[in-house]
Amino acid sequence: MGEHKVSIFDTIIVAIVSFTLITISIILNISLVFAFIGAVIFTSIILLRNGYGIGALINIMFEGIKGCRSVFIIIILMGATISTWLSSGVVPSIIYYGFNYVKDYNFVVVAFIFTLMMSYVMGTAVGTISTIGIAMLAIGKGLMIPTPVLLGAVISGAFIADKIAPISSLNNLTLEVTGTDYINYVKSASKTLIPTIALSSIIYYILGNVYKGGGDMSKVYEYQKLINSSMMVSPYLLLFPLLVIVLAFLGIKASYNMTIGVICTSVVTVLVQKVNVLTLVKSILWGYKSETGMVELDSLVSGGGIVQMLEVVLIIMGSVALSSLFENGNLLKPLIDGLFKEKDSRFSLIAKTSLLSCLLTAATCDQTVGIIIPVKVALEKFEKRNIDKSILARTVADTGTIVAPLMPWNVNAVIIYSIIGVSAIQYAPFAVLCFLNPIVMIIGEFISFSRLKTTSESVA
């Protein structure tokens, strides 16, 4: 297929139409699947007018989707994992024992750290917010902590999942498109994530001291009592999340790792929790339904299911198809030519990739395009400068991935608003990790670049 030149006007029109379709879907609460289908169709029409063949366009989309097939498997396994971790008592046990510590410490910090740990295990930011996050907010109300403050801490902890959790679909998408293994990525990501977590914890400690004091802990005790009476909770069940983390660091593929976890927790569900096999299969397919007798708690410890994740798979397929058309149809060429220069330094390249990732996350209202396109555009440029691929993975994770909930129009912010009833404008000032992470990354890269420049000048 020969290269066809696409005008800047066509690029702008495609971008406006795609953004409009996605925005309308969010406002009208229509699945993003339809927005991406509409965007793909419109983009294809524009490219057909510019000389591309229908067969070539279909092949472009097919190859892009095929390249992410392992991510789709992981997303489906994530639905099964959440179900079995709930039905086996793993997540309820974490909640049960975790609540033992909330009354003795600064609760804003506790909510941040506890949500952070849970999101790392669960592998889903929105899933963590809609379960553990709701519990944290319910307790926070009893402690007289303003909801936007506590929700900001919860969101900061939850979005660690999308950035670094071993079973996260977005994290695995980042690893897949950059060609990075998990261990090297963690080593690279830790250089910016650890300082960000430390700074965030200090800020939340200060905020927590403002609201520290008495409060009603009856909600905590009620949760614990109902969890304990509805299923067996045990500290031994906490070994399963530990197993997943250990296997991830041993280099076991995420799909194998998650399959092992699903099998093990399924056995526990049947043998320990005395759930029959048919009920287990139903919960794996359609999600686990808790029956503690308390509606508020049941919503906290219910969820998952393969069927629930199929829409996510379709959304990412649409996003991948669209980004493939953007890349291979030269729609991004005017933007890339204007943004990236041949003489860009390491710092400039990383900073511009960060900017592109943030812009695309903002424009498409979703993180997937903000991951895929910047990586595909910058990968060759990083390789030419001998910059490790794990740094490219870290760059998009520290920017386009983590800033998503700060944008009121982003799908994550819309979902959070629908669940909690608090807008991004209200909680964004308190979601400190989400805006500190890009700042820490850029400052760190600038310091590193300055040192290298000084060293090279000294040698010269």
Side-chain angles (χ1 to χ4, degrees), residues 380-413:
E380 186 179 342
K381 302 178 190 301
F382 271 65
E383 289 175 342
K384 282 183 179 179
R385 288 164 178 76
N386 295 317
I387 304 174
D388 194 88
K389 289 183 286 188
S390 64
I391 296 176
L392 175 57
R394 182 184 74 194
T395 299
V396 294
D398 282 351
T399 51
T401 298
I402 206 75
V403 301
L406 301 177
M407 305 166 189
W409 60 88
N410 186 273
V411 65
N412 292 279

Side-chain angles (χ1 to χ4, degrees), residues 32-50:
L32 281 172
V33 173
F34 299 107
F36 279 114
I37 289 173
V40 165
I41 291 172
F42 183 81
T43 304
S44 297
I45 291 171
I46 294 295
L47 292 176
L48 286 170
R49 288 178 61 249
N50 280 275

Side-chain angles (χ1 to χ4, degrees), residues 288-411:
Y288 174 70
K289 308 296 182 186
S290 173
E291 296 178 353
T292 64
M294 181 183 182
V295 175
E296 196 175 32
L297 180 58
D298 285 337
S299 65
L300 172 63
V301 289
S302 297
I306 289 173
V307 173
Q308 301 297 322
M309 302 307 293
L310 292 179
E311 183 181 4
V312 178
V313 171
L314 293 174
I315 289 171
I316 293 182
M317 279 185 174
S319 175
V320 170
L322 184 61
S323 63
S324 296
L325 291 175
F326 268 61
E327 180 193 11
N328 294 287
N330 293 315
L331 284 163
L332 289 174
K333 197 172 187 305
L335 173 63
I336 294 165
D337 289 344
L339 184 62
F340 293 97
K341 305 298 180 185
E342 192 64 34
K343 294 182 180 180
D344 280 339
S345 65
R346 171 192 164 112
F347 175 72
S348 294
L349 179 58
I350 290 174
K352 289 177 179 181
T353 303
S354 302
L355 176 62
L356 182 61
S357 181
C358 288
L359 288 173
L360 289 171
T361 295
T364 61
C365 309
D366 191 52
Q367 295 144 296
T368 49
V369 176
I371 293 170
I372 296 168
I373 290 180
V375 168
K376 289 187 174 181
V377 167
L379 184 57
E380 186 179 342
K381 302 178 190 301
F382 271 65
E383 289 175 342
K384 282 183 179 179
R385 288 164 178 76
N386 295 317
I387 304 174
D388 194 88
K389 289 183 286 188
S390 64
I391 296 176
L392 175 57
R394 182 184 74 194
T395 299
V396 294
D398 282 351
T399 51
T401 298
I402 206 75
V403 301
L406 301 177
M407 305 166 189
W409 60 88
N410 186 273
V411 65

Side-chain angles (χ1 to χ4, degrees), residues 262-272 280:
V262 169
I263 292 171
C264 291
T265 48
S266 293
V267 171
V268 171
T269 299
V270 173
L271 298 183
V272 177
L280 170 64

Side-chain angles (χ1 to χ4, degrees), residues 79-91:
T81 298
I82 294 171
S83 290
T84 56
W85 282 22
L86 288 166
S87 63
S88 64
V90 170
V91 173

Side-chain angles (χ1 to χ4, degrees), residues 119-151:
S119 69
Y120 183 79
V121 171
M122 293 180 70
T124 164
V126 172
T128 302
I129 292 167
S130 62
T131 53
I132 306 304
I134 289 174
M136 293 291 105
L137 294 171
I139 297 166
K141 285 180 181 178
L143 297 174
M144 310 294 287
I145 300 173
T147 298
V149 174
L150 195 56
L151 180 57

